[in-house]
Amino acid sequence: MVELGKVDQIIEKYAGDKTSVLAILQDVQAAFNYLPREAMNRIGEKLEIPMTQVASLATFFHAFSLTPRGKNIVTVCMGTACHVRGAPRVLAEIERELAVKGGETTSDGEFTVETVNCVGACALGPLVIVNGNYHGNINTADVVEMLHEYKPATGEGAK
Amino acid sequence: MTKFTTPAQLTDHVAKAKAARDPNKVRVSVCAGTGCKASGADALIAAFQAEIEARGLDVEVLSTGCHGFCERGPLVVLHPSGVLYQKVKPRDVADILEKTVQKGELLPRLQYRDESRQIFEKEHDVPFYKHQERIVFAMNGHIDPRSIDDYFSMGGYEALGKVVGQMKPDQVVEEVIASGLRGRGGAGFPAGWKWRFTRQAEGDRKYLICNADEGDPGAFMDRSVLEGNPHLVLEGMIIGAYACGASEGFIYVRNEYPMAVRHIELAIAKATELGLLGQHILGTDFSFNVHVNRGGGAFVCGEETALIASIEGRRGSPRVRPPFPAQKGLWGKPTNINNVETWANVPTIINRGSAWFAGTGTGDVSKSPLGGSKGTKIFSLVGKVNNTGLVEVPMGITLRKIVFDIGGGIKDSKKGRTFKAVQTGGPSGGCIPDAYLDNPVDFDELAKLGSMMGSGGMIVMDDRTCMVEVARYFVDFLKEESCGKCTPCREGLRAMSGILNRMVRGQGRHEDLDLLEDLGRTMKTASLCQLGQTAANPVLSTLRYFRHEYVEHVDHARCPAGQCIDLIEYRINEQCTGCTICAKKCPTGAITGQNKERHVLDQGKCVRCGVCFDVCNFNGVSILSGPEIAGKAKE
Ligand SMILES: Cc1cc2nc3c(=O)[nH]c(=O)nc-3n(C[C@H](O)[C@H](O)[C@H](O)COP(=O)(O)O)c2cc1C
Ligand code: FES
């Protein structure tokens, strides 16, 4: 169940300003980790704008996700600076290690792998951000260890 | 502090704050920009604070914006001596305070050394900084961006006092025109001209926008300016509002830049509290409010008409110009839009005068601001270069000076890596080869080379960077970012992407080269906005300067740079010393071998990630490319 109360609180912060849809969607995604359909309906109702307009924004920007995301968000920078320093190889290694493709979530719901076009720390590329923590100068050999930090403590991992 | 109610009060306050700043005060300036934070600056600042308190020292810890030399972070500069320490960890703090601050002894382990191991003691002697000229970044490193008092103490808001107290709006416009300041966001349009259009446009309400979308991947100067000195940008905007007659301003920042948003919001609140912003600024009839909008992270939203649509709450699609925003912008009202770095140049132009500003740079702007490129430009020097980071250099400096003197040359040149190209202008810029390294860098020179200034990304590429692959990368990027509204851009990019993706797999055809050029020309002439009009630049410029690489791909399925993974194979050669490092680093366990014996790579397990090549110190890994290997890959 999506807590619509939380959505209402966010909408209220912007005092019904129709031009704040983008900001509201960003706050909702930050609160829920994705944009639940019910929340988008609610935004349309409250601001009295058509659902098509809300959806048109939600689908225009890559940063929005319409499906729930994993507990850990692994963001791989694919910007130019990171690209020339080997970001595609790092992404491939992460995809191999977690057995998902960019944009997907692991079946246990632990990790979502996303790509982004530059996070503005280009001097440290290739760059991977896990849950907001920046990991700079990553190469394929570092991937396993980096992800290990975020894996749930299983029998093996916990020792 | 109470609200300033006259310009004279502000001027007086700034003068006192400047005089009160003690240049001999012992300060530890720690870079807390995004790069250094990623390398652990927060813990370092906490350690300094705790240790200084424990020792009861009279030393100030400054948590500053980006110093630029991100590669070597976290960075620490000790004032007043100017000693630079790099890659500093919390465990170094006690030593720094005890040995360097208290006894004046240096710690060689934390000092910067260049490739030849020469030590550089002071920040301003380090080659990375020595050739820079800092106007926009002048205060970064000396102030806490969250403190308006720090900004005052460096002369901040002096220009605003002067403008509101002594100048007429038209005088301000003329001063900016005379300085030759051209937009730093891409096109290099004279800022003062745009201000004049907005000033002269009919309208009861006028708006200002600060473009901080910074969609160009590989560039992060706007972020660092906003994070490191938000009041500078704000002061520029307030002066601009006074000159253009605008009553409301918007700063459109990428949502990926949370610290920039926090710092600018803090600055707005503080400036409003002091009467530098809001109703009746400095007790006059001039009123101006500023709002922050967080962007959605789409490249095309950096384009001015798309950005305006996005602020209005609509999807970020561009529209045809004219009308230009100066006539019909936000909500149909005259709107002046400038880039972060453009705004940040304004206070200095007012303080030091247009003649001083025009003293740096190329050409002659006495008749028209288009007569040259004046002032400095911040570049984000990244990619395969030794010293990566942000560099602010005078317009007209050569590419060689930037890449080799400031950047310290090509990374891993000891392992044989050499310079191939430098890419400027963002995804719709171009790649410039070594033949033009001695050309001066300014708006017009870069355009002549088939590239552009763009927002200032400068991505260095070495012999291991495949130019066909780079073109593919940009085309795929732009294909994703094209808003899809006009056909030449949408379909042209799709067709180009198809061709280039075939080429990097070794399935290109020779006729494709002409087809690419044809498509490029059509997109240039027929696209709706500049995204489409410039989208072919990466392809056209690589075809112009690196045609032979395309030919190798299409005629021989060979990638001369050894990068296209479908066309290459890694082999361990006789130079292998059996050091075992590659076997340890290989993520798939494809490499086996005894200590001190030549290793073997199992092609069946190899995923061509290249880590063995990167880690080998003995040139023991070769890359093979050619028809026989591409043939195998296809099986
Ligand atoms: C596809 C595209 C993306 C752009 N992205 C940016 C950007 O991220 N930041 C920026 O300042 N200007 C960007 N621009 C340029 C703006 O349209 C506009 O010219 C600029 O903000 C004007 O400011 P200036 O005159 O101070 O440079 C972009 C233009 C295009 C066509
Ligand atoms: S290109 Fe990766 S952080 Fe900018």
Side-chain angles (χ1 to χ4, degrees), chain B residues 131-151:
Chain B
H131 304 282
Q132 295 194 40
E133 200 172 306
R134 297 191 148 198
I135 297 177
V136 174
F137 270 157
M139 296 184 206
N140 274 41
H142 298 280
I143 61 170
D144 183 330
R146 296 163 299 183
S147 161
I148 196 170
D149 289 330
D150 278 11
Y151 186 63

Side-chain angles (χ1 to χ4, degrees), chain B residues 225-300:
Chain B
V225 174
L226 269 184
E227 284 178 355
N229 200 350
H231 283 289
L232 184 68
V233 180
L234 203 55
E235 187 180 2
M237 285 183 76
I238 307 172
I239 293 169
Y242 179 81
C244 296
S247 55
E248 231 165 321
F250 298 83
I251 303 179
Y252 189 89
V253 196
R254 309 181 55 168
N255 199 29
E256 283 88 352
Y257 291 0
M259 184 160 57
V261 172
R262 273 202 311 279
H263 286 185
I264 192 72
E265 281 180 339
L266 205 65
I268 291 172
K270 199 70 202 172
T272 309
E273 192 186 312
L274 294 181
L276 306 173
L277 205 57
Q279 298 305 319
H280 300 292
I281 291 172
L282 300 174
T284 65
D285 286 341
F286 165 47
S287 298
F288 180 60
N289 288 297
V290 176
H291 314 273
V292 176
N293 291 69
R294 287 169 297 153
F299 177 63
V300 75

